[in-house]
Amino acid sequence: MPELPEVQALAERLTEAVGGSAFTAADLLQFSSLKTVTPRASELAGRTLHRVGRRGKYLVLELGGPRVLVHLSQGGRVDVEHREDGWTSVAVEIPV
């Protein structure tokens, strides 16, 4: 499990890499990982990801209203991928 300085550094790197980008999709891999249902994950598409912050050991994705909280658990990680088509994508992997 990452410690607070690592989570803060990750939030800063993610803001730098994808801040201001459009949020395209959220795929829930397991229903138990969903702690709230408002708004639905499908309703987040098209919103701007303004910044990534931190609240404790949670990453907070600021979407101009709704926020997505991500906890990396034991071995979770975040990958930033710069694709050949010019898009940058972020994948959050959390083992279940």
Side-chain angles (χ1 to χ4, degrees), residues 2-85:
E3 297 299 328
L4 289 177
E6 295 163 320
V7 176
Q8 180 65 38
L10 178 58
E12 292 170 2
R13 286 194 306 268
L14 287 173
T15 296
E16 187 177 308
V18 295
S21 301
F23 192 85
T24 56
D27 293 325
L28 299 175
L29 303 178
Q30 182 176 352
F31 184 75
S32 65
S33 65
L34 184 65
K35 302 298 182 198
T36 183
V37 293
T38 305
R40 296 176 187 269
S42 61
E43 295 171 7
L44 298 175
R47 293 187 175 269
T48 300
L49 176 61
H50 296 284
R51 66 181 285 275
V52 180
R54 176 188 65 79
R55 176 102 179 166
K57 290 190 178 183
Y58 286 86
L59 291 173
V60 181
L61 284 65
E62 301 281 351
L63 298 169
R67 293 179 293 182
V68 176
L69 302 180
V70 177
H71 193 283
L72 298 177
S73 301
Q74 283 293 89
R77 64 185 234 195
V78 176
D79 292 325
V80 177
E81 178 182 284
H82 299 283
R83 301 178 350 190
E84 291 180 13
D85 59 8

